[in-house]
Structures are given as C-alpha cells and as structure tokens.
Amino acid sequence: MKREKIIEEESRYIIHTYKRAPLVLVKGKGTKVWDSEGKEYLDFLAGIAVNALGHCHPKIVEAIKKQAQTLIHVSNIYYIEPQVRLGKMLARESFGGKSFFCNSGAEANEAAIKLARKYGSKSSPPRWEIITMENSFHGRTLATLTATGEKKYQKGFAPLVPGFKYAPFNDLKAVEKAISPQTVALMVEPLQGEGGINIATPRFLEGLSKLSAEHDLLLIFDEIQCGLGRTGKMFAYQHYGVTPHIMTLAKSLGGGVPIGVMIAAEEVASSFEPGNHASTFGGNPLASAAGIAFLETLSEENLLENTRKMGSYFKTKLDKLKEKYDFIKEVRGRGLMLGVELTFPGKEIVDQCLQKGLLLNCTAEKVLRFLPPLIVGTEEIDQALEILDSVLKTH
Ligand SMILES: *Cc1c(COP(=O)(O)O)cnc(C)c1O
C-alpha cells in the first residue's frame, strides 16, 4: 500500500486516539528506521523506550524465532519454563521479589494497585488509599488513569476510581500530610517520563522510604520507562539508597514484544492467593523468551556501561547547546533518558527534526525527550546533535 492510501485508510478504520506524524515506518535495524518512501531516520525515541537494544536486535530475533518454532502459548494453568527463568533473572537483578507477568505497563500497575489493596484489606481497620505524584504517568486503564496525577488524561472519564490522593513530586512534606489512616501505599516514578523527565531528589525518595517504614506503607516504584538499564543502572532506584516493596516494568523488557511485570517482595506478594489475579497471555513462552534474551544481551554487550558513557557524552553536548541558545531552559535526566526543556512548545522542533531524519518527541509540552537505544554510539549522537542544532538555529 502507498503511504497516502495507508494514511487515508487509517482515518477510516482506526479509532483516532493518536496524533500521528505523517510517516509510515516499514523497517528497522539498530538505531535506524526506514519509511515507506525509503527515507532513513535516526531513531532517538526508540518506541518510547521500548527498543532499548535497537531495532530487530539479532539476539531478540533469534530468541523469538526459536521459541515460536517450539511453543508460542500455553495457559498459565500449566508451568512455563521461560516464565520461571525470567522471574528468577529479575529477582536476582532487583530485590529478590516474586514476579507476576502481564502484557503492558498499565496492566503491571493495575496488578500493583490490586496487590496493595489486597495487602491493605488485611489490616484492621482495612486500608486502601494510594498516594501518587503530580505529573506522574501510570497508564490508561481506569485505575492507572486515576493513579496518573495529571488532569489532562482524566478529562471526560469520570467517575474515576476512588482511593487515590495526589502530592506534588519531590515534596516530602506534602506526601506526609496526605497520609491518612486509610493509606496503604505510595506510588512514584523515580524518574518521571511523560511528566517531563523529572528526577526524584535523594531526599525525596529516601524520605518516602522512611515514611513507608514509619506508617507501614508499601513503596511502589513505577520503573516502566526508567527501568531496565535506561538510566545507566539496571533500575533507577539503584541510584538511591532505597528499595521498593513493589516495582513495575514493561516497555523495554521484551525488546519490542509486549510484556509487563509486577515484582513484589515475598511478604507482600503472599497477599495474592490463587484466583486473586490472572492474565491469559501474561508471561507466555514467546514473550518470556524475548525477556530472557533482552536481559542476557544487556549484560553480554555491557550496555549499562555504554548507557552511562553515552549518556554523559550526550548530556555534556546538550549542555553546550544550552549555552548557545537562551530559549533552552534546562537539560536534565540520567543515562539515556534525557530532556531539554524549552521556553516554548517543542512540537515544531520535533517536526523539523523529523524532516531532517531524526526521530524524538516532546513531552509535557515543552520538553524535548531523547530515549535512544542503549546500543547508541558517539557517531550517532553527533549526527543527532548536528540535526538538532541546525533546527534550533532557525528559532
Ligand atoms: C508507558 C508507561 C506506562 C504505561 O505503559 P503501557 O504499556 O502503555 O500501558 C506506565 N508508567 C510509565 C512510567 C510509563 O512510562
């Protein structure tokens, strides 16, 4: 199908929930993608942190192929070896918890919310309230949409799910004030993604951890975007001296294959009993095999180190651009999760970069967001910066 026809038929057959760029991507390899017209793009958005190993990494392709020829899906009524292996790897990399597998970030957070409520139902009197942060993003199902502390996503979907309260991000006093006898959990992204690349201060995360100990609250970290190597450590919370009770992951875990997971410390996980929660597809052999290949490759190719090195190289150069252009308000982020805050909306810059062969996006209206694959090298970063600079020059 021709590009124009695809775009025309999309408007007829697909529900209009996305503001799409006029671009049909048909092929990807490493840090690059190609459109239907054969034009090449440097992909510095990487499926919004999904394609952390780049596009069609041979190890992911091989793992999917091999598993597809053996067993694609069986019900969770039976034992699934790749699922167990992936759970074991995640426990070893994190805080030794147990996993519940699902298919997306929202589902992982939904599981975390349900587990927290189940845990709270055992207190006397029962507790159910969850405090989340302003400018957070936790997903689009009704409960995760309610957890998301951003009005624009919630408009038109009332009544929302009861039992959530919000506090400003990085404001420990406000969180403490919001705690009530019904509160059972605090939920936070250690590095906010959709909210504009906002880093939790050490004082804040450590303070939340202390509050959680004092009030017997579960600490839930949503690392769906910032986890799995993105910040230069396996998990963003590992930059701090804190450990959560529950952590959620999705995006990059399957190297592009849909998979999500909620990991919970044993004493919390045991609140779920057989029959309390389930997912038909969750952790099926195909998705689990992709997850295993992702974690193996991350380690075999030393990608945490590459992320730290490339992240610091990239950020230093972005800081130079900030000196050059006074409309750049701030450059922030960790590893290869970087944001450039402008004094005006960034959409036009994103469109112009796309014209010149660089994919990125803009979040929280004014923050240019860079999430390149963790395999990125200096040459590609230089190329991206050159395009960005040439676009910024015209503003
Ligand atoms: C993307 C994202 C989600 C939602 O994940 P989906 O797979 O789109 O449901 C939740 N939390 C954070 C921090 C995210 O970045």
Side-chain angles (χ1 to χ4, degrees):
M1 249 196 286
K2 278 251 183 301
R3 187 181 87 129
E4 286 66 30
K5 185 145 174 71
I6 294 168
I7 292 175
E8 195 258 314
E9 296 207 342
E10 192 267 0
S11 72
R12 252 196 293 165
Y13 298 113
I14 306 298
I15 295 177
H16 193 201
T17 63
Y18 302 102
K19 270 188 226 138
R20 298 182 200 262
L23 187 62
V24 181
L25 295 174
V26 295
K27 201 176 89 173
K29 191 165 191 280
T31 56
K32 301 200 168 72
V33 285
W34 287 267
D35 73 7
S36 52
E37 318 300 295
K39 186 173 167 184
E40 182 180 296
Y41 299 85
L42 201 49
D43 188 1
F44 269 42
L45 185 60
I48 315 192
V50 168
N51 304 99
L53 301 181
H55 293 273
C56 301
H57 192 290
K59 294 264 176 57
I60 296 285
V61 173
E62 187 54 39
I64 296 173
K65 260 193 188 161
K66 210 168 141 209
Q67 190 59 51
Q69 285 165 343
T70 314
L71 186 68
I72 294 176
H73 177 86
V74 285
S75 168
N76 273 310
I77 287 174
Y78 310 105
Y79 289 92
I80 298 170
E81 186 188 343
Q83 184 184 113
V84 176
R85 284 180 56 204
L86 182 56
K88 183 173 174 182
M89 289 170 90
L90 288 169
R92 289 191 168 164
E93 292 291 350
S94 60
F95 47 89
K98 290 182 167 179
S99 287
F100 172 83
F101 287 100
C102 50
N103 316 285
S104 67
E107 279 176 79
N109 284 336
E110 193 77 34
I113 291 164
K114 281 182 72 177
L115 181 60
R117 284 193 176 186
K118 199 81 196 344
Y119 176 87
S121 76
K122 296 187 161 70
S123 310
S124 72
R127 301 179 292 156
W128 60 84
E129 204 170 67
I130 299 174
I131 299 171
T132 71
M133 305 307 140
E134 288 174 9
N135 297 315
S136 59
F137 183 82
H138 298 299
R140 305 284 198 153
T141 62
L142 265 181
T144 60
L145 180 69
T146 309
T148 294
E150 174 66 82
K151 289 263 181 307
K152 75 176 179 208
Y153 298 115
Q154 299 172 338
K155 216 176 144 211
F157 297 109
L160 295 173
V161 177
F164 291 89
K165 265 193 188 171
Y166 313 97
F169 188 61
N170 277 335
D171 186 341
L172 196 57
K173 282 242 167 65
V175 174
E176 187 166 14
K177 242 177 95 186
I179 295 171
S180 79
Q182 288 81 45
T183 309
V184 71
L186 310 173
M187 185 168 179
V188 62
E189 296 156 84
L191 205 176
Q192 290 187 331
E194 302 307 304
I197 312 292
N198 307 313
I199 307 179
T201 62
R203 206 181 97 76
F204 185 59
L205 272 207
E206 282 152 25
L208 290 186
S209 183
K210 237 177 111 198
L211 284 178
S212 98
E214 283 164 15
H215 299 266
D216 180 28
L217 306 176
L218 300 178
L219 194 54
I220 306 173
F221 286 168
D222 177 345
E223 294 228 10
I224 289 163
Q225 189 164 150
C226 63
L228 295 166
R230 180 55 54 191
T231 65
K233 287 197 190 269
M234 185 56 94
F235 300 112
Y237 77 81
Q238 293 166 340
H239 292 280
Y240 306 81
V242 299
T243 309
H245 301 96
I246 299 176
M247 173 169 67
T248 52
L249 304 170
K251 292 200 163 87
S252 47
L253 182 55
V257 178
I259 182 168
V261 63
M262 169 191 67
I263 305 170
E266 165 69 32
E267 70 275 17
V268 180
S270 60
S271 294
F272 267 170
E273 287 166 31
N276 286 168
H277 199 47
S279 165
T280 296
F281 291 117
N284 82 9
L286 188 75
S288 297
I292 293 166
F294 171 79
L295 288 176
E296 282 176 354
T297 307
L298 208 60
S299 133
E300 279 163 19
E301 299 191 1
N302 270 323
L303 292 178
L304 294 186
E305 194 189 331
N306 190 62
T307 301
R308 287 193 289 271
K309 277 193 186 148
M310 292 305 115
S312 125
Y313 179 82
F314 197 7
K315 184 161 184 301
T316 306
K317 299 248 166 156
L318 288 171
D319 281 331
K320 289 230 169 77
L321 285 182
K322 179 178 179 290
E323 283 166 28
K324 192 164 159 191
Y325 300 107
D326 57 10
F327 55 77
I328 296 182
K329 208 171 140 193
E330 194 178 28
V331 176
R332 56 180 183 258
R334 265 205 166 106
L336 288 169
M337 185 166 176
L338 296 170
V340 173
E341 184 173 352
L342 307 171
T343 55
F344 52 79
K347 188 186 177 304
E348 203 182 319
I349 288 180
V350 169
D351 292 346
Q352 285 175 290
C353 285
L354 182 140
Q355 290 302 323
K356 296 190 165 195
L358 172 65
L359 303 185
L360 68 148
N361 90 334
C362 177
T363 189
E365 206 177 346
K366 291 178 185 169
V367 183
L368 302 176
R369 175 169 50 171
F370 298 90
L371 297 163
L374 310 185
I375 54 160
V376 76
T378 52
E379 219 172 282
E380 291 142 326
I381 292 174
D382 287 343
Q383 203 184 329
L385 285 159
E386 201 177 304
I387 295 174
L388 181 66
D389 192 15
S390 74
V391 166
L392 293 178
K393 227 177 252 167
T394 66
H395 282 261

